[in-house]
Structure formats: C-alpha cells, structure tokens
Amino acid sequence: MTKQVRYGIIGCGMMGQEHMRNIALLPEASVAAFYEPDDEMAARALAITPSAVRVDSVADLLAIEALECLLIVSPNFCHISQMQVIAETRPLPLLVEKPLFTNPEDAAKLAAFRDSYPAPVWVAMEYRYMPVIAAFLAKSPAATGGIRQLSIREHRFPFLQKVGDWNRFNRFTGGTFVEKCCHFFDLMRLVLGSDPVRVMASASQAVNHLDERYEGQTPDIIDSGYAIVDFDNGTRAMLELCMFAEGSAYQEELSAVGPTGKIEAFVPGPGRFWPAHLGAAPVAKLVTSPRTPQGPVTHDIPVDPTLLEAGDHNGSTFYQHQRFVALVRGETAQPEVSLGDGWAAVAMGIAAQESARTGQAVDPRRWM
C-alpha cells in the first residue's frame, strides 16, 4: 500500500472542513492533526476525520513528528504571522489559502519569508482547478487565436457567517477585492500570460450587511463593483462583481475574445444553495464561438457528484489536493500556484480597493 501524505491543518471552519472532506477522498493522503480554537468547528472537523488529533496551538501542531505537510485555512489576517511561526519552527511543504496576505504593510514580511523558506509553498487558488475553467484555459488559445480581451462576472450570494464575524470588515479581510476577488485576478494573469500595470475600479457597499452591527460597528465591505485591468502585453480584463445576485443560474461567467473567436465558461454555484423546487442544479458548460464559420458550440462539463458534495467549488478543491500531494511526494518539482502568483493576485486586489476608494487608476506593482 502506498504511504500516505499526512497533513496538519491550521483552521477548520467552513473552508477548512471542505479541505478535510476532499483530502478524505484521496487514498494517498490523510489529516493527522489540526488546530482549531472554536469548539463547534473542531467538533465538525472531527466528524469528518475522526482519527485526526486536535491540538491547542500552532506550536503543538508543529511538534507532531508524523506531519509531512501543512495547510493554512485560518482567517485571512492570520496567514502571515502563522507562516512566520512555521518558517521559524518547522518549514514543511505548505498549502496556504488565499488571500496570501491582507495588509500592504506585510509585503516586507512576505519578502523575508519568500527569501528564506526552504520548502515548497503553494497558494490555494481553487478556481484554476474547476473542470470547466481548466477546459477554458486549455482551449482558449485555439478558440480565440490569442486572447485580447477577457471578462469575468461573479454574481453570487452575500458573504456567509464566519466565526467571530471577521469577514464583515476590511481590516480583517483586506477588502472584498482582496478577500474574494484575488481568485479572479489570479485567473486574469494566468489566462493572459502577463502582469498588470494599471487597475481602475468602481465599487460600493450597496445592499449587504448595512443593518448589521458587531460591537457597535457596521460592516464596511463592498458588495458590488467593477475593476478594469491593463496588462503589460497590451491585453485587458474586466471583473464584474455582485454579491446580491444569488438568483442567477450561473455564479461565474468567463469570456475571452481574440481575432478568430470567443470562448465562454459558465460555472454554477454551490449545489447546496440551489432551490429544490427548480429541479436539478445547472451543469457547468463551455461555449466556443468562432467568427468564421459562425456558430456557437456548447459543451457540458459535468463534475463527479461525489466531488460536488464534498465542497462548494465545483470539484476544484479535490483536484488541487491531488496536485499538491504529488508535489509533497516529490512526483512534481514546483508548485503550480506559486507564492509569487498569490502575491500578485493580492496586489491587484489592493490596487482595486485603492482605486475604488480614490477614483484614480492605480499601479499594482507598488505591492508586487
């Protein structure tokens, strides 16, 4: 029997539990131990992986000799400090959830970590691994003749409740363009094969959370907006975000256009939110539309129901862990999503937050 890769996990809230369910589907991996300070979340984690050991601190987790890799799924604002502790104590191969960091002032700490960490670091950008987006990435060069213009639309539900309600405030999340949209800024760089040089954004908190109070404070996270990004190879991309649009059939829609045609990807939201009275949930689809001869062609991209049941990200979390485990086992040489990739996505989000605040175009390279 193949020896398993044993994970140590920091943070077992909603997303941490999704990671645990998907790791459990991999015969070559298991969760050996986790650190989760909230008793309710810890109980849910143990229900998923009863053999895992719950510990009382990050230090206690790092002291467990059996661990072969680490996964950080703690609240956004904790990532950098926990990465520093790991670097100083036991630098194992690391998978860290997005966003990599939230405070622009942490860039110097991140640079020091990057320059000294001896093990692989993979940033968890799950959207790359959604089967329909993977197909979009593979087929877009031929379908478009070389992408010149990319648009990404996310119309979804509001932010969910988190332990301690940390995701209601910019100071903990980095802002919605950082917290949520770093996924899409990462896809922009990947699809266009280029780095950003200018970000222009307009956004507001138009509907969500305005009647909520936490210790007397009103949430300040935006719920809707646009961001336009210019890239150094002359291409451009646009993001449209609306977080009070859960009535949509598809949660994400991507469109790339080039001189010979267009390709689109349509991604349904989490199946658990799809109303039962509407019947079966939508299936992801890919549409190619050549200019000559004209005629859109639609391809359904179904996902294994077991993977859909294991998480909210269209099967992507499973495929991401497959690849990360291969890295830990030495079967691949480099992370597919590097620390630099995660850093650039956050820098673009910070630039979008700043542009929306000031009304000015912002160069994201200030934080890269």
Side-chain angles (χ1 to χ4, degrees):
M1 181 176 177
T2 302
K3 183 175 178 291
Q4 289 191 335
V5 169
R6 288 164 291 194
Y7 281 76
I9 300 182
I10 301 171
C12 294
M14 184 183 302
M15 191 62 203
Q17 292 162 35
E18 177 171 325
H19 281 288
M20 296 180 85
R21 287 192 296 270
N22 281 276
I23 292 168
L25 296 174
L26 290 168
E28 67 271 31
S30 62
V31 178
F34 66 87
Y35 167 55
E36 171 49 63
D38 183 82
D39 288 340
E40 180 181 350
M41 294 298 107
R44 293 181 184 181
L46 284 170
I48 298 167
T49 310
S51 62
V53 176
R54 182 191 181 188
V55 300
D56 295 328
S57 68
V58 173
D60 289 343
L61 184 72
L62 297 176
I64 296 177
E65 293 185 4
L67 301 185
E68 293 162 302
C69 63
L70 297 166
L71 167 61
I72 295 177
V73 207
S74 55
N76 300 357
F77 59 93
C78 300
H79 294 177
I80 287 292
S81 61
Q82 290 168 344
M83 291 165 64
Q84 289 178 308
V85 170
I86 293 167
E88 294 166 359
T89 308
R90 192 176 173 199
L92 292 169
L94 177 61
L95 176 63
V96 56
E97 259 296 344
K98 62 80 194 169
L100 189 59
F101 66 107
T102 59
N103 188 338
E105 296 179 1
D106 283 338
K109 297 176 184 177
L110 187 59
F113 174 90
R114 176 199 60 202
D115 293 343
S116 63
Y117 200 79
V121 179
W122 184 310
V123 181
M125 292 295 188
E126 286 87 10
Y127 281 60
R128 292 187 180 205
Y129 300 101
M130 293 178 174
V132 68
I133 292 183
F136 178 93
L137 293 169
K139 295 178 181 295
S140 57
T144 64
I147 299 170
R148 298 295 184 270
Q149 183 171 309
L150 170 70
S151 66
I152 301 175
R153 170 189 287 176
E154 181 172 61
H155 281 191
R156 56 162 279 169
F157 49 90
F159 280 120
L160 300 174
Q161 292 285 336
K162 301 281 188 178
V163 174
D165 303 302
W166 61 269
N167 66 338
R168 296 301 196 256
F169 296 95
N170 289 332
R171 65 181 181 275
F172 297 131
T173 66
T176 302
F177 277 132
V178 171
E179 202 287 334
K180 182 73 199 77
C181 301
C182 62
H183 276 304
F184 307 123
F185 294 131
D186 174 63
L187 286 177
M188 288 178 184
R189 289 183 66 247
L190 182 64
V191 170
L192 297 175
S194 185
D195 282 321
V197 296
R198 182 170 61 171
V199 176
M200 297 157 282
S202 175
S204 71
Q205 185 182 3
V207 174
N208 295 345
H209 316 303
L210 294 171
D211 58 351
E212 298 176 10
R213 300 292 183 275
Y214 302 93
E215 298 182 355
Q217 296 183 319
T218 303
D220 60 359
I221 49 173
I222 65 172
D223 58 17
S224 53
Y226 298 90
I228 297 174
V229 185
D230 290 339
F231 287 82
D232 62 9
N233 65 357
T235 60
R236 58 184 50 83
M238 185 184 77
L239 169 67
E240 176 186 333
L241 174 72
C242 183
M243 299 187 68
F244 43 89
E246 59 266 46
S248 307
Y250 290 95
Q251 183 168 292
E252 287 90 22
E253 300 177 16
L254 284 70
S255 173
V257 187
T260 63
K262 179 172 73 171
I263 185 169
E264 299 167 279
F266 297 85
V267 188
R272 63 191 175 106
F273 296 148
W274 185 253
H277 73 273
L278 295 178
V283 174
K285 63 181 181 180
L286 190 75
V287 180
T288 53
S289 303
R291 295 179 70 185
T292 305
Q294 294 183 18
V297 179
T298 299
H299 311 266
D300 285 346
I301 310 291
V303 177
D304 184 334
T306 301
L307 303 187
L308 293 177
E309 185 69 23
D312 290 341
H313 295 84
N314 204 240
S316 61
T317 304
F318 174 81
Y319 296 114
Q320 177 178 252
H321 278 289
Q322 270 192 330
R323 289 162 169 78
F324 178 69
V325 166
L327 175 71
V328 175
R329 294 170 63 86
E331 296 166 3
T332 56
Q334 298 293 332
E336 292 182 13
V337 190
S338 69
L339 187 141
D341 292 328
W343 189 335
V346 170
M348 294 169 72
I350 293 171
Q353 290 285 140
E354 183 71 5
S355 178
R357 184 184 68 83
T358 64
Q360 303 296 314
V362 176
D363 188 339
R365 293 171 292 184
R366 290 166 51 186
W367 299 284
M368 291 172 66

